[in-house]
Amino acid sequence: MLKTTIKTLFLVLVMSIVMVDSWAVNLEEAPDDDVDDVDNAASGVSIGDIRVVNFTDTDGAPELDGVLDDEFWASAQLLSIDKELYPIRFAEAIVDTDVLAALSSTHLYLGITAYDPQPEMLRSSVRSRDGVKDGDYVSIVIDPTGNLRRKLEFRVNPHGSVSDVLQNTVSDRYIYDWDTQWRGAAKITSQGYVVEMEIPLNSIKQPVVREGQAPGWAVIFKRSYPRAVDRTFGAVYIFKKESGSAVTQTKRVELIPYYIFHPDEERDKDEPFSQVKDHGNHDVGADIKLVVDSSTTVSATILPNYTDVEADIARDSINNAFTPFKPEKRKFFQEGRDLYSTTMPVVYTRNIVQPEVGLSFSHVGRRISAGGMLVSDESTELIMPDNLGSEIVNIIDFPGELLAARYATGEKGSSTGLITTIRTGDDYSNFVGGIDGLYNLGLDDKLRYQFMYSRTEYPDDFANDLCDGDDCLLPPPEDCPLGTCDYNAAVLRADPNQVLEGHGLKLAYKHDGPQSLYWLNYYDYGADYRTDFGFDKRTDYRQITAAYGRKWYFETLKRDKGSSRVRGYLVANHIESSEGQHIEDGFEVWGEFRGSFQTVFRAGYRIKDRVVNRIQQNTLELGDNAPLFDESYWQWYFEVSPVNYLTFNLDGRYGDIADSANLLLGEMVELKPKITVALDKFKLRLSRTLRDYDVDGSRLYEEDFLTLQLTYHPKERHYYRLLYLNDRTDRDTARFLAEEPSFETGESIEFTYLFTRESGLSILAGAKAYLENDSDLNGRYTSEREVYLKFVYNYSVDMFGNR
């Protein structure tokens, strides 16, 4: 009985590991570069007995150099990665992969030998942190509680680059911007490559194990093996310490102070430069973490800073009415963030822009997890949602407090949780609270739900910040057409004269089996529902989405020595306002091919009857005030990698698409070519976005975004990056409703150098300049310039004084 239960749990684990985020996709976007090729790796097929591996404490530690000649490895457990997970479920792996595993009282050590008959075909290069999303790599995925809610993946590629990924089954998300402390090393050999990993148990955050108990982890090893077609191999195990083996619960203090010197200057044309008012030339701060035990941490921060090598370089079209998402890299806000990742995103820490101090607590137990976070912010930033778009509120001198609290319980893949957030300021308050859960209906079926309530009071400052002019606190005029009125929907949603109370509801069922996929989602957001600490971009709407599809596997070319996959599916969508006013009806058909020459091609045809904006901006009414547009267009994503160092992408859209800023239906041609060249320690990425939008046969606007990124890793601890961005927008101002220049360009160039030492010291240095030009300026000039020098030191000591 116990063995049957363990096998069932492991099959669910494998499915949840490889299925997270596979088809709960936003079909407005093309697939990411890092689409996980293992999204079909689990089914009810028996894979034989799951091996239980018993460990005793190992003394000492190996030298992490990608060579397994240390005496330490002689006493390690010998395991193997011997099954194919994709594309053929649980076939025999076509290459050998050996794993040496050892467990001490403080660390998990892994030595993995990935044999390869043609090591010259490895798809690998030196990558930045979290850049291992494709190509060759090996990884371990750990579920330290065995309840399938939270899984941690640690990846290392043949060049020793690392990625850590947090897989949250409750919210159905991969969180790539989660980071924890661990180390990896690798070396390419004539027989393949060797990887070594050193993972502190405190980084895994596991339930406390008392003396005499036998802890157990659910573990899956994976090896990505991309050649002519993608393959992923794997093996599943249970890791246990022998009952009575010593379990060290080390209390540790981690201190990470930083200092930044960063003159940041701006100017208008023909004016002198001056320091940006809300930035200082010198910044100091620190993150502090107390590791109470292996499951509980308390963290504090003082003036956290997220200056990082990887800047936010995503740019958005003027045609997109919704706020784009930004990743979180500040260490304090990453601590315990999986607790707050729910189906509805009610916690989005990038809304915290100038935090002074913060305090957080997180606990992960075998059945119960809990956490809390309190932050004082010098400024206020949040997303003001509407049913047709969203706007950003950003008030520099408006301090406030933010609180989030979370409780979750469950086992065997199901869970129930409570979550609440509170945000306050001068004459401002936003309370959000509710319940969420996940029902595990089987290997291929999941049901998620969340119900939330909010109560909000806004001050005058919010409406003033959202206003396109200076008079939005006065009664709006009777005639307030788009393009000539200071009012907009966001101003009306931030009414300072009302107490806003509303609800949010989401139900999501998803099936993704070996041959079929389908999902059914229902959303119901009240008109006055607000999550000012969250990332809900839309409110005042009801939506139902249904989809059905099939999958087929076949051999395209004999040289591939493996199967390609084809998927086809249909999607139907209906959106209306809370009062039943029509917003969108749509129907889509999609097909996808993955196979020869590392090719991914996904194409779809979309038909929509859609509202995009209001004629009169002094009301939230739709109906006759919001014209419907009949959209029909093709959308596609194409990627091919004919050789292991070159990847080419070309995705885009073509057809009739409505423009929200001008209330017009036009023909859009959008092309996004991208070339990536990865040669050992050097990587080049050149991408461009071209959008041409025509109305009645003539151009309304054109966008041209260019990105050039060069990175170079000459040695393990040195990193150089050169980034050049060039954006240009041309408009027909005679027909464009907003008062914008006929053309505007922006260029930025940035050089960054990063140096890290094993002692914990890292140094970041760089310089950046921004140049702009538009038809009103009649000339190109440097409007911003910045240099920065950042010192960070990671210091850790246990309570007995051992560093």
Side-chain angles (χ1 to χ4, degrees):
M1 180 66 182
L2 177 60
K3 183 177 290 187
T4 302
T5 302
I6 289 173
K7 281 181 61 177
T8 302
L9 280 174
F10 253 110
L11 288 170
V12 175
L13 168 66
V14 177
M15 179 274 191
S16 59
I17 285 171
V18 302
M19 285 293 305
V20 170
D21 205 32
S22 60
W23 276 99
V25 293
N26 177 6
L27 294 176
E28 290 289 346
E29 301 175 354
D32 293 333
D33 296 348
D34 52 38
V35 171
D36 197 356
D37 294 320
V38 207
D39 55 5
N40 294 290
S43 71
V45 179
S46 174
I47 60 173
D49 292 336
I50 303 298
R51 180 178 171 185
V52 179
V53 184
N54 291 297
F55 291 91
T56 57
D57 281 343
T58 302
D59 295 327
E63 180 182 356
L64 261 64
D65 55 7
V67 180
L68 302 180
D69 58 358
D70 299 73
E71 185 178 343
F72 173 89
W73 294 115
S75 59
Q77 298 274 7
L78 177 60
L79 315 174
S80 64
I81 301 176
D82 55 1
K83 298 295 181 183
E84 182 172 307
L85 302 181
Y86 173 84
I88 304 301
R89 293 186 174 190
F90 303 119
E92 294 298 318
I94 64 170
V95 291
D96 294 331
T97 311
D98 294 335
V99 179
L100 294 173
L103 193 62
S104 75
S105 61
T106 58
H107 289 78
L108 169 66
Y109 296 100
L110 299 173
I112 304 176
T113 303
Y115 295 99
D116 196 318
Q118 295 179 294
E120 68 277 4
M121 299 301 293
L122 289 171
R123 293 177 178 266
S124 177
S125 64
V126 178
R127 309 284 179 87
S128 58
R129 178 72 177 249
D130 294 332
V132 183
K133 298 181 180 180
D134 51 18
D136 283 88
Y137 65 83
V138 291
S139 73
I140 181 174
V141 185
I142 302 172
D143 179 1
T145 66
N147 57 31
L148 308 179
R149 297 197 314 265
R150 171 181 178 268
K151 293 167 290 293
L152 315 174
E153 181 172 6
F154 303 87
R155 300 176 180 174
V156 182
N157 78 355
H159 280 80
S161 300
V162 302
S163 286
D164 34 24
V165 187
L166 180 61
Q167 302 178 9
N168 188 291
T169 309
V170 175
S171 61
D172 198 20
R173 291 189 181 96
Y174 272 57
I175 303 175
Y176 281 98
D177 52 326
W178 170 79
D179 292 327
T180 191
Q181 290 185 343
W182 65 290
R183 295 196 300 151
K187 185 174 183 179
I188 298 174
T189 71
S190 60
Q191 295 180 313
Y193 63 99
V194 177
V195 163
E196 289 183 290
M197 299 187 198
E198 178 187 75
I199 305 173
L201 301 187
N202 285 333
S203 295
I204 297 175
K205 205 163 191 180
Q206 58 182 324
V208 172
V209 179
R210 305 301 178 189
E211 190 74 24
Q213 293 179 337
W217 295 344
V219 168
I220 179 172
F221 288 102
K222 289 175 18 180
R223 178 181 176 183
S224 174
Y225 186 74
R227 294 300 179 264
V229 297
D230 280 321
R231 276 190 170 94
T232 302
F233 310 123
V236 290
Y237 294 91
I238 293 175
F239 279 13
K240 285 188 174 183
K241 270 197 173 183
E242 292 184 356
S243 181
S245 179
V247 179
T248 302
Q249 301 295 339
T250 304
K251 291 179 171 59
R252 299 185 65 82
V253 175
E254 297 176 9
L255 175 63
I256 308 177
Y258 78 86
Y259 163 74
I260 302 178
F261 172 66
H262 62 130
D264 187 0
E265 300 177 326
E266 296 179 349
R267 68 169 179 173
D268 295 326
K269 190 177 182 183
D270 299 326
E271 296 292 331
F273 279 104
S274 61
Q275 178 70 21
V276 177
K277 293 181 180 180
D278 56 318
H279 293 179
N281 277 324
H282 307 273
D283 281 337
V284 274
D287 293 321
I288 307 167
K289 181 166 73 172
L290 170 63
V291 180
V292 179
D293 54 42
S294 60
S295 65
T296 306
T297 59
V298 178
S299 300
T301 188
I302 303 171
L303 299 174
N305 186 285
Y306 56 101
T307 303
D308 207 310
V309 172
E310 296 298 328
D312 294 327
I313 61 173
R315 286 150 293 166
D316 209 25
S317 170
I318 58 177
N319 187 261
N320 187 5
F322 291 96
T323 306
F325 178 86
K326 294 181 179 180
E328 178 61 85
K329 299 302 290 184
R330 291 170 290 186
K331 187 174 182 63
F332 172 79
F333 296 115
Q334 291 182 337
E335 179 65 34
R337 63 170 301 183
D338 56 303
L339 279 171
Y340 306 104
S341 182
T342 56
T343 304
M344 296 164 62
V346 298
V347 174
Y348 174 59
T349 54
R350 286 301 296 266
N351 282 339
I352 306 171
V353 291
Q354 286 187 296
E356 283 188 294
V357 294
L359 182 68
S360 72
F361 161 83
S362 64
H363 170 79
V364 175
R366 195 164 300 280
R367 294 192 60 187
I368 295 174
S369 298
M373 175 169 53
L374 177 63
V375 180
S376 176
D377 198 356
E378 293 180 341
S379 301
T380 293
E381 181 169 300
L382 55 89
I383 299 169
M384 187 61 64
D386 178 45
N387 46 25
L388 302 182
S390 60
E391 297 286 346
I392 295 290
V393 175
N394 190 315
I395 308 174
I396 297 299
D397 298 317
F398 195 95
E401 311 293 328
L402 300 96
L403 169 71
R406 173 69 164 158
Y407 172 89
T409 183
E411 57 184 348
K412 297 182 180 180
S414 296
S415 69
T416 303
L418 301 173
I419 190 167
T420 186
T421 66
I422 299 173
R423 191 165 189 175
T424 61
D426 188 14
D427 297 326
Y428 161 62
S429 66
N430 171 247
F431 167 81
V432 181
I435 186 172
D436 68 286
L438 163 67
Y439 285 117
N440 178 28
L441 303 176
L443 293 172
D444 302 316
D445 299 85
K446 298 288 183 288
L447 175 65
R448 295 173 173 86
Y449 69 89
Q450 189 163 357
F451 178 79
M452 305 298 296
Y453 162 82
S454 73
R455 186 183 188 278
T456 311
E457 293 184 77
Y458 289 125
D460 294 345
D461 303 72
F462 286 32
N464 279 327
D465 186 70
L466 293 164
C467 183
D468 293 329
D470 301 319
D471 60 352
C472 288
L473 295 180
L474 301 174
E478 293 184 4
D479 186 35
C480 188
L482 177 67
T484 62
C485 184
D486 292 340
Y487 278 81
N488 54 59
V491 171
L492 302 177
R493 297 289 182 190
D495 189 346
N497 301 312
Q498 294 188 45
V499 175
L500 306 176
E501 295 184 87
H503 72 275
L505 170 67
K506 180 176 180 180
L507 299 172
Y509 167 73
K510 183 174 69 173
H511 168 88
D512 198 335
Q515 304 298 330
S516 63
L517 63 100
Y518 43 88
W519 67 84
L520 180 65
N521 296 335
Y522 176 74
Y523 303 78
D524 185 350
Y525 282 57
D528 294 332
Y529 176 68
R530 304 287 186 274
T531 56
D532 292 353
F533 198 172
F535 193 71
D536 280 317
K537 301 184 292 183
R538 175 174 259 169
T539 196
D540 188 11
Y541 76 105
R542 290 192 292 264
Q543 177 178 352
I544 185 167
T545 303
Y548 179 79
R550 300 288 296 177
K551 309 173 188 179
W552 300 269
Y553 303 86
F554 57 92
E555 186 175 304
T556 49
L557 299 173
K558 290 185 178 180
R559 62 176 290 278
D560 291 348
K561 298 179 181 179
S563 296
S564 298
R565 183 188 67 192
V566 170
R567 291 195 278 202
Y569 55 104
L570 306 174
V571 184
N573 187 51
H574 171 76
I575 308 175
E576 61 183 35
S577 72
S578 298
E579 297 180 352
Q581 295 176 309
H582 181 83
I583 295 177
E584 179 182 321
D585 281 321
F587 182 79
E588 309 167 21
V589 56
W590 291 86
E592 180 184 277
F593 169 80
R594 289 177 178 269
S596 302
F597 300 105
Q598 290 288 297
T599 300
V600 179
F601 180 64
R602 189 174 92 166
Y605 186 67
R606 317 179 77 171
I607 300 172
K608 295 183 180 181
D609 187 25
R610 186 165 75 106
V611 168
V612 296
N613 210 333
R614 300 169 179 84
I615 300 172
Q616 292 291 329
Q617 296 290 294
N618 57 358
T619 176
L620 295 173
E621 289 296 314
L622 300 177
D624 295 336
N625 190 43
L628 287 167
F629 294 96
D630 295 324
E631 295 183 330
S632 57
Y633 58 94
W634 291 94
Q635 184 169 337
W636 66 90
Y637 176 89
F638 174 70
E639 177 178 305
V640 64
S641 182
V643 291
N644 58 357
Y645 58 84
L646 175 67
T647 302
F648 174 73
N649 297 74
L650 179 63
D651 59 306
R653 291 182 292 173
Y654 171 73
D656 295 331
I657 299 175
D659 180 80
S660 59
N662 298 280
L663 276 176
L664 293 169
L665 183 69
E667 183 181 79
M668 176 182 284
V669 178
E670 177 182 83
L671 297 174
K672 295 182 179 181
K674 180 172 67 176
I675 296 175
T676 304
V677 179
L679 297 171
D680 195 25
K681 299 175 181 181
F682 173 85
K683 185 175 182 179
L684 178 147
R685 176 170 290 182
L686 177 65
S687 62
R688 197 169 183 182
T689 297
L690 300 166
R691 295 187 186 93
D692 188 283
Y693 192 87
D694 291 352
V695 177
D696 297 330
S698 61
R699 180 177 300 162
L700 178 65
Y701 67 82
E702 180 185 54
E703 294 176 306
D704 186 350
F705 299 162
L706 174 69
T707 301
L708 172 63
Q709 181 170 294
L710 295 169
T711 59
Y712 179 51
H713 291 259
K715 295 181 180 179
E716 179 183 357
R717 304 190 183 281
H718 299 264
Y719 173 88
Y720 299 87
R721 186 187 74 164
L722 178 66
L723 176 66
Y724 174 72
L725 308 177
N726 189 319
D727 299 347
R728 179 182 176 93
T729 302
D730 289 277
R731 303 179 182 87
D732 181 353
T733 54
R735 296 187 297 165
F736 209 88
L737 292 182
E739 294 183 3
E740 302 284 353
S742 60
F743 80 88
E744 56 184 335
T745 62
E747 297 175 78
S748 69
I749 185 167
E750 180 177 10
F751 176 77
T752 304
Y753 168 70
L754 176 66
F755 172 72
T756 59
R757 290 183 60 88
E758 194 169 332
S759 63
L761 175 68
S762 64
I763 301 173
L764 175 70
K768 181 179 181 180
Y770 183 80
L771 298 85
E772 61 181 86
N773 183 22
D774 62 50
S775 54
D776 295 338
L777 293 173
N778 190 29
R780 177 172 172 263
Y781 77 105
T782 302
S783 60
E784 299 176 32
R785 65 186 185 188
E786 178 183 4
V787 295
Y788 46 87
L789 181 62
K790 178 180 178 181
F791 297 89
V792 180
Y793 187 73
N794 288 262
Y795 180 82
S796 179
V797 61
D798 67 29
M799 300 303 287
F800 300 99
N802 298 316
R803 290 188 58 182

